[in-house]
């Protein structure tokens, strides 16, 4: 098994993201790898099927700004340098694949809640990232804060 030189951590900015950050920083230190972090903001039009009779650009900008503030806060807690922070808008799996390719990441780290039943059948972000990635993908089991 080869070592990793460029890790891309995909986070959703939930409370569980801290668990992923800890794991990614440990691996980046172990492999002396470059660490990038990505957060994908899905456009509001995705939630409404693209047919929205009002301008959502101001709300979308607020979501982007909130994401940037939260990502900056999380990055301040990492004890490993973060090379680049990517906040992009689009379809989550596609954007993670795109950024991984552009940055030549050789490992993508995503969180997995280990869902079963209907949620498993419908798929998950981790599963979507795995099936389109051109590099290794590490799905880290995250524990909910309620557990």
């Amino acid at each position: 098994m080869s070592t990793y030189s460029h890790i891309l951590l995909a986070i959703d900015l939930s409370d569980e993201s801290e668990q992923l950050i800890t794991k990614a920083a440990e691996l980046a230190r172990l492999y002396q790898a470059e660490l990038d972090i990505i957060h994908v903001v899905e456009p509001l039009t995705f939630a409404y099927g693209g047919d929205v009779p009002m301008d959502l650009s101001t709300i979308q900008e607020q979501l982007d700004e909130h994401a940037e503030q939260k990502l900056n806060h999380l990055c301040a807690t990492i004890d490993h340098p973060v090379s680049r922070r990517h906040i992009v808008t689009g379809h989550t799996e596609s954007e993670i694949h795109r950024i991984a390719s552009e940055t030549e990441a050789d490992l993508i780290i995503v969180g997995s809640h280990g869902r079963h039943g209907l949620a498993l059948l419908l798929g998950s972000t981790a599963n979507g990232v795995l099936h389109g990635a051109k590099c290794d993908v590490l799905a880290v089991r995250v524990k909910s804060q309620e557990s």
Side-chain angles (χ1 to χ4, degrees):
M1 180 176 156
S2 64
T3 60
Y4 299 108
S5 61
H6 193 144
I7 297 171
L8 177 64
L9 170 61
I11 58 175
D12 63 3
L13 300 177
S14 67
D15 292 339
E16 289 86 11
S17 294
E18 291 179 25
Q19 296 170 47
L20 293 171
I21 286 171
T22 300
K23 182 69 72 175
E26 288 173 7
L27 287 170
R29 273 193 311 278
L30 176 68
Y31 290 114
Q32 297 178 349
E34 192 173 346
L35 177 62
D36 282 14
I37 298 180
I38 183 173
H39 171 70
V40 181
V41 179
E42 291 202 344
L44 289 172
T45 55
F46 281 15
Y48 296 104
D51 189 21
V52 182
M54 62 172 56
D55 182 14
L56 298 174
S57 59
T58 303
I59 297 170
Q60 191 72 53
E61 287 173 12
Q62 290 173 343
L63 289 173
D64 294 346
E65 288 172 15
H66 176 74
E68 186 171 352
Q69 290 172 357
K70 191 151 186 180
L71 184 59
N72 287 339
H73 174 73
L74 285 170
C75 285
T77 68
I78 301 175
D79 58 351
H80 186 83
V82 175
S83 298
R84 287 176 294 256
R85 302 168 193 186
H86 308 270
I87 297 177
V88 295
T89 302
H91 185 263
T92 303
E93 292 88 351
S94 300
E95 291 301 313
I96 292 170
H97 293 150
R98 182 180 65 80
I99 294 296
S101 178
E102 286 178 7
T103 62
E104 299 180 352
D106 47 17
L107 176 65
I108 300 170
I109 300 176
V110 294
S112 174
H113 294 277
R115 292 187 173 94
H116 301 286
L118 185 59
L120 182 61
L121 289 173
L122 294 175
S124 67
T125 299
N127 192 42
V129 171
L130 173 65
H131 288 290
K134 299 195 180 346
C135 64
D136 291 349
V137 176
L138 173 62
V140 176
R141 175 72 55 98
V142 292
K143 297 175 177 62
S144 71
Q145 297 295 333
E146 300 153 4
S147 300

